[in-house]
Amino acid sequence: MLRHPDEMSGGIGPRNLSMRKKFIAGNWKMNTSSISAEMLASGVVKGLGSETRVDVAVCPPFPFLARVAQVVKGTHVALGAQNCYPKDEGAFTGEVSPPMLVDIGCQLVFVGHSERRQIFKETDAFINNKVHAALKAKLKVILCIGETLDERKANLTETVLDTQLTGSLANITSALLKNMVLAYEPVWAIGTGVNATPLQAQDAHAFVRNRVGQLCGESAAQSLIIQYGGSVKPDNAADLLCQPDVDGALVGGASLRPEDFLGIVRAGIR
Ligand code: PGA
């Protein structure tokens, strides 16, 4: 009789790894309409069915959150927002607060996506404020980090990740880290069709886990889900997701088609 891989391993390493359930999140960015958002969410809900071996979330644009909340209510698909402002309420025209996101049914929020860092010049200190505000509102936070192509070419990947982690995780205790997910998203791989190789992803994830261990505590870092993001597709997902420190995927383009997104979800089950 074939034994479960966990039973075959004597050490604690693989057991630890198997405790981290894969988590696949779809970042719809500034795409969809009210109708197509609802259809996309329905497609994901139907395709996922009662599957619970992998965690799944969809993250529509702000205007469609409430509508999608109705579609995913009572299902295994979680709802996330793509951004928040680090205050509960007040004179911040055009912004959306973490308690508002909770109010309309969100369970999680991205913070520090590279598009926000680059286009909107968000700093690590500002991102750290958002992390704390979102956690205070009881949202799960997906904190995104990653280097640009120039930084990688200049051999600065670890320096950049170190700076982003140190700044964005300021005053994050091991207890707070339990409500966080990290997403390693090399900027050069986002929306380019060029994904990091499984080994490049694994190296970066191992570095991130080690550094988070130093910052927030070793055991919290061992349980931390670290997603990979950047041109994840159904045909490259399995190779990325089988790396020991790659615990899921943050999916942009391929999350806009239910069959592609579900293909990536299925790759997380194997
Ligand atoms: P992509 O985007 O999958 O389209 O590369 C990923 C992301 O930005 O989260």
Side-chain angles (χ1 to χ4, degrees):
M1 195 177 71
L2 264 182
R3 285 186 298 164
H4 188 275
D6 277 0
E7 294 174 45
M8 292 192 273
S9 68
I12 55 158
R15 280 181 197 279
N16 271 345
L17 299 175
S18 66
M19 280 160 50
R20 295 195 299 262
K21 193 178 187 181
K22 298 271 195 278
F23 176 28
I24 314 294
N27 174 8
W28 297 0
K29 307 194 180 185
M30 200 173 72
N31 294 298
T32 68
S33 63
S34 54
I35 301 291
S36 70
E38 201 171 305
M39 282 168 56
L40 179 51
S42 300
V44 173
V45 164
K46 283 199 191 94
L48 188 69
S50 57
E51 180 59 71
T52 55
R53 285 172 294 175
V54 60
D55 287 326
V56 174
V58 293
C59 305
F62 283 141
F64 312 135
L65 281 169
R67 201 163 171 146
V68 172
Q70 294 308 311
V71 178
V72 301
K73 198 171 178 180
T75 75
H76 294 294
V77 179
L79 182 67
Q82 301 170 18
N83 186 30
C84 64
Y85 190 76
K87 293 281 181 201
D88 288 354
E89 60 184 10
F92 303 101
T93 302
E95 294 297 324
V96 176
S97 76
M100 290 173 182
L101 296 177
V102 172
D103 186 15
I104 54 162
C106 288
Q107 289 109 347
L108 53 105
V109 64
F110 304 143
V111 171
H113 190 280
S114 66
E115 284 148 18
R116 300 221 53 95
R117 290 175 185 268
Q118 295 201 312
I119 304 170
F120 303 99
K121 310 287 175 235
E122 292 191 4
T123 63
D124 287 317
F126 186 52
I127 290 163
N128 180 244
N129 287 340
K130 292 190 184 196
V131 171
H132 283 282
L135 290 174
K136 190 178 117 215
K138 304 267 179 275
L139 286 165
K140 196 179 237 317
V141 170
I142 303 184
L143 170 66
C144 307
I145 54 171
E147 82 286 0
T148 63
L149 186 57
D150 284 349
E151 289 161 346
R152 177 163 280 264
K153 280 186 179 156
N155 223 6
L156 289 172
T157 299
E158 294 189 352
T159 312
V160 169
L161 295 178
D162 188 13
T163 305
Q164 292 177 341
L165 286 170
T166 311
S168 320
L169 290 176
N171 299 315
I172 293 298
T173 59
S174 60
L176 287 174
L177 192 73
K178 289 200 175 81
N179 295 316
M180 294 187 67
V181 167
L182 252 70
Y184 168 63
E185 298 203 300
V187 180
W188 48 271
I190 295 179
T192 59
V194 182
N195 58 289
T197 66
L199 269 182
Q200 284 173 325
Q202 169 56 27
D203 282 353
H205 283 228
F207 174 82
V208 168
R209 194 179 305 285
N210 184 47
R211 190 69 190 107
V212 172
Q214 292 165 349
L215 291 166
C216 307
E218 182 53 33
S219 101
Q222 281 307 319
S223 323
L224 177 71
I225 300 293
I226 308 179
Q227 297 176 318
Y228 165 79
S231 297
V232 180
K233 303 276 179 295
D235 59 1
N236 61 22
D239 286 345
L240 288 158
L241 291 169
C242 73
Q243 296 300 313
D245 285 292
V246 178
D247 310 314
L250 184 49
V251 186
S255 72
L256 295 171
R257 288 172 299 276
E259 60 282 9
D260 286 353
F261 187 62
L262 290 162
I264 295 167
V265 169
R266 274 192 293 277
I269 294 169
R270 261 174 264 146

